[in-house]
């Protein structure tokens, strides 16, 4: 069955503490993954979303699949790998309150994701194929899986969205740029933060970089600005949307939430300014709650949290 969104990548078990891990204490268990965060965001807004990835045949892999199913994300094409482990992510806070992330992913199932693992899901079809720069950073096989999905998805008529999502802990900027530039050139929508955009295109300033991507055939270049909102460059010019005022609880997952909102509005056929608006609304909802995706709204809730650009999200 063709879905609204197909996304592929790594989803891990996530343990969250309120202080330094070395002090012990309680940890809350959930899941985390950039691509699955987007899938959950779209599913909550009523879109048909499918996630494909590779998890271990272990309790944490079962947690990943169970949680995604509970959020109405289709995981029928996911691979459960016997004898392999599911990755783990631990969040804590350093003295002073700064959030930290500690990864336990080396050699885990997601690092073995290959084209054969995603081919069936791509063949089923999707209106939007969403990939990020995290998956190709996991190794040669995951990078090949992303390249295959982008080429096959584009050939099948899917709109391809690349969220650059650079993770310095996984690879340096030079290597990331070499891999991500061809992916960006093959995408229809490119989403990046201000500091990530130079990874996928050259230019003396942001506008020139966006124009370079548009000249390559990218339809929309979306720039996330955090507390200053977001912008989108298209063939008709630049569009800006301010951020929503909100009491920040947890910034993890804000970028994924924005992307989910933007793609939701795209799937609904809304114009670029409305896509940006929905994106910043979901980003605000994400940072107002604990967790990667837990604070994302349903379609019914979306109308109640929009407000004006300077409204406080409650």
């Amino acid at each position: 069955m063709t879905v609204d969104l197909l996304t592929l990548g790594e989803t891990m078990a996530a343990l969250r503490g309120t202080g330094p891990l070395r002090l012990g204490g309680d940890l809350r268990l959930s899941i985390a993954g950039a691509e699955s965060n987007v899938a959950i965001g779209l599913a909550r807004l009523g879109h048909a979303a499918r996630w494909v990835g590779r998890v271990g045949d272990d309790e944490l892999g079962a947690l990943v699949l169970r949680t995604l199913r509970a959020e109405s994300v289709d995981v029928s094409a996911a691979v459960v790998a016997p004898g392999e482990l599911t990755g783990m992510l631990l969040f804590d806070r350093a003295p002073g309150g700064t959030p930290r992330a500690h990864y336990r992913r080396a050699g885990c199932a997601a690092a073995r994701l290959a084209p054969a693992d995603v081919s069936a899901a791509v063949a089923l079809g999707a209106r939007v194929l969403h990939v990020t720069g995290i998956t190709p950073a996991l190794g040669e096989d995951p990078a090949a899986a992303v390249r295959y999905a982008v080429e096959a998805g584009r050939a099948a008529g899917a709109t391809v969205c690349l969220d650059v999502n650079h993770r310095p802990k996984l690879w340096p900027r030079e290597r990331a740029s070499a891999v991500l530039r061809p992916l960006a050139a093959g995408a229809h929508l490119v989403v990046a933060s201000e500091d990530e955009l130079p990874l996928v295109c050259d230019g003396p300033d942001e506008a020139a970089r966006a124009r370079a991507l548009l000249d390559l055939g990218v339809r929309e270049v979306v720039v996330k600005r955090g507390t200053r909102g977001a912008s989108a460059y298209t063939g008709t010019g630049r569009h800006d949307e301010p951020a929503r005022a909100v009491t920040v609880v947890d910034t993890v997952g804000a970028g994924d939430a924005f992307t989910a909102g933007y793609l939701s509005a795209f799937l609904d056929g809304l114009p670029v300014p409305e896509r940006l608006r929905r994106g910043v609304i979901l980003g605000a909802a994400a940072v107002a709650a604990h967790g990667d995706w837990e604070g994302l709204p349903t379609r019914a809730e979306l109308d109640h949290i929009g407000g004006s650009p300077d409204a406080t999200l409650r």
Side-chain angles (χ1 to χ4, degrees):
M1 180 189 74
T2 299
V3 291
D4 294 325
L5 175 93
L6 170 64
T7 189
L8 59 138
E10 176 189 43
T11 301
M12 297 172 284
L15 288 162
R16 288 181 168 81
T18 57
L21 289 173
R22 64 176 178 266
L23 298 182
D26 295 331
L27 295 171
R28 183 173 63 86
L29 178 61
S30 183
I31 68 169
E35 298 85 2
S36 54
N37 291 344
V38 172
I40 290 171
L42 284 161
R44 285 195 176 181
L45 292 177
H47 301 283
R50 177 177 289 133
W51 174 86
V52 59
R54 189 179 179 95
V55 298
D57 185 18
D58 55 17
E59 286 294 297
L60 297 183
L63 171 70
V64 168
L65 298 182
R66 179 179 180 274
T67 303
L68 291 176
R69 287 192 196 100
E71 289 295 329
S72 300
V73 175
D74 183 341
V75 294
S76 59
V79 176
V80 179
E84 297 182 18
L85 297 176
T86 303
M88 184 181 296
L89 172 60
L90 297 96
F91 293 101
D92 73 347
R93 292 187 177 273
T98 303
R100 300 183 296 193
H102 311 270
Y103 295 95
R104 298 294 184 270
R105 65 183 1 148
C108 290
R112 296 181 172 90
L113 185 72
D117 295 325
V118 304
S119 58
V122 175
L124 289 172
R127 293 174 61 192
V128 172
L129 171 70
H130 173 65
V131 298
T132 79
I134 297 174
T135 306
L138 300 178
E140 290 301 322
D141 285 345
V146 172
R147 287 194 299 270
Y148 169 82
V150 168
E151 293 168 4
R154 186 180 176 106
T159 295
V160 177
C161 173
L162 168 68
D163 190 335
V164 175
N165 239 331
H166 178 237
R167 294 292 187 268
K169 287 186 177 181
L170 288 176
W171 54 356
R173 291 182 68 88
E174 295 78 12
R175 184 166 152 238
S177 181
V179 173
L180 296 178
R181 286 187 178 226
L183 290 176
H188 300 100
L189 310 177
V190 173
V191 182
S193 62
E194 292 171 288
D195 64 320
E196 290 172 339
L197 194 59
L199 288 172
V200 293
C201 53
D202 294 320
D205 54 32
E206 181 179 285
R209 296 180 191 114
R211 173 52 58 188
L213 285 172
L214 295 173
D215 288 345
L216 290 173
V218 177
R219 297 173 190 163
E220 298 166 28
V221 179
V222 184
V223 181
K224 297 178 287 188
R225 306 188 190 283
T227 58
R228 293 180 291 109
S231 303
Y233 294 87
T234 70
T236 60
R238 171 174 163 168
H239 307 268
D240 298 303
E241 181 71 17
R244 295 319 192 249
V246 61
T247 300
V248 176
V249 174
D250 186 350
T251 59
V252 176
D256 303 327
F258 170 87
T259 300
Y262 193 92
L263 290 177
S264 169
F266 171 83
L267 287 164
D268 284 347
L270 298 179
V272 170
E274 289 301 310
R275 298 174 199 175
L276 288 170
R277 180 177 183 273
R278 189 173 293 180
V280 299
I281 288 172
L282 260 68
V287 302
H290 290 286
D292 278 39
W293 49 269
E294 285 83 345
L296 296 176
T298 64
R299 177 74 68 160
E301 292 166 338
L302 184 63
D303 293 336
H304 299 291
I305 66 173
S308 60
D310 59 351
T312 299
L313 191 69
R314 298 188 186 278

